[in-house]
Amino acid sequence: MKIVSAEFVKSAYSREHWVNDGRPEIAFLGRSNVGKSSLINSLLLRKGLARTSNTPGRTQSINYFLINESYYFVDLPGYGYARVSKSMRSDWGKMAEQYLSESGELRLCVQLVDARHAPTSLDKQLHEWLVFQDKPYIIAATKADKLSSNQLRKSLSQFDDELPGAKVIAYSSETGKGRDALWAEILGAVERKS
Ligand code: GTP
Ligand code: MG
């Protein structure tokens, strides 16, 4: 995949700031600290484009990146971070849910789960919601570099059981594992007419 250009476009805090120019959108979602921003940077081979941090809950807005001037990567706020107030938590949930249900050009949802752990109840809820809403989606199991190949195999089969029907790609932003496979899914989704 040749990335000619990848640029941060904007952070949107409410609906009127969403991009709305008809270009396809690929959304990245998952719990806080699962590695969404790192995965976006690794797909794009741009180290600091999406901001990463050790402080979970850092990405609080919907962040748009324009790729090759033809489609957007959308970094959604992470869910499930306990140390923010309840009202902030539900604001984030509402913002992400509104985006997922109403964004007209959403072509693929990439749901990130941590390869090292069983899916959390919020991971499962999101997965069920995507299935129920009939959204095109794929699961990326992140931080795969932290597991042995045996552990990874076990973990992937656990995802098959707990997130039924999902296609799961093991991913590492450190090593680039899974990068080609995920790009193939993304490009397929961008080219598919919705
Ligand atoms: P929020 O924006 O807070 O929701 O987090 P995020 O999902 O964007 O996570 P982020 O990319 O900021 O990564 C969180 C932490 O996990 C950082 O310390 C990353 O360096 C680390 N990390 C992310 N992906 C990987 C990976 O594939 N392998 C390893 N070893 N560490 C990773
Ligand atoms: Mg982030």
Side-chain angles (χ1 to χ4, degrees), residues 102-164:
E102 296 175 22
S103 176
E105 299 300 335
L106 180 59
R107 296 289 173 82
L108 181 67
C109 299
V110 182
Q111 180 184 3
L112 282 68
V113 294
D114 192 319
R116 297 168 299 172
H117 308 296
T120 66
S121 61
L122 286 171
D123 290 335
K124 288 192 219 169
Q125 270 177 39
L126 173 63
H127 171 251
E128 280 163 21
W129 188 88
L130 292 171
V131 172
F132 182 71
Q133 300 281 331
D134 210 16
K135 298 285 172 192
Y137 76 96
I138 185 155
I139 307 252
T142 62
K143 311 192 186 184
D145 56 281
K146 294 197 175 188
L147 294 179
S148 70
S149 53
N150 205 21
Q151 288 169 321
L152 183 60
R153 212 169 17 247
K154 275 191 199 148
S155 159
L156 292 176
S157 85
Q158 187 176 19
F159 289 134
D160 281 341
D161 293 341
E162 299 207 27
L163 306 172

Side-chain angles (χ1 to χ4, degrees), residues 36-38 51-52 58-59 75-76:
K36 294 176 294 300
S37 302
S38 303
R51 262 202 257 147
T52 61
R58 194 43 89 70
T59 311
D75 191 3
L76 289 170

Side-chain angles (χ1 to χ4, degrees), residues 10 41 80 138 154 187:
K10 66 157 129 184
N41 288 333
I138 185 155
K154 275 191 199 148
L187 292 177

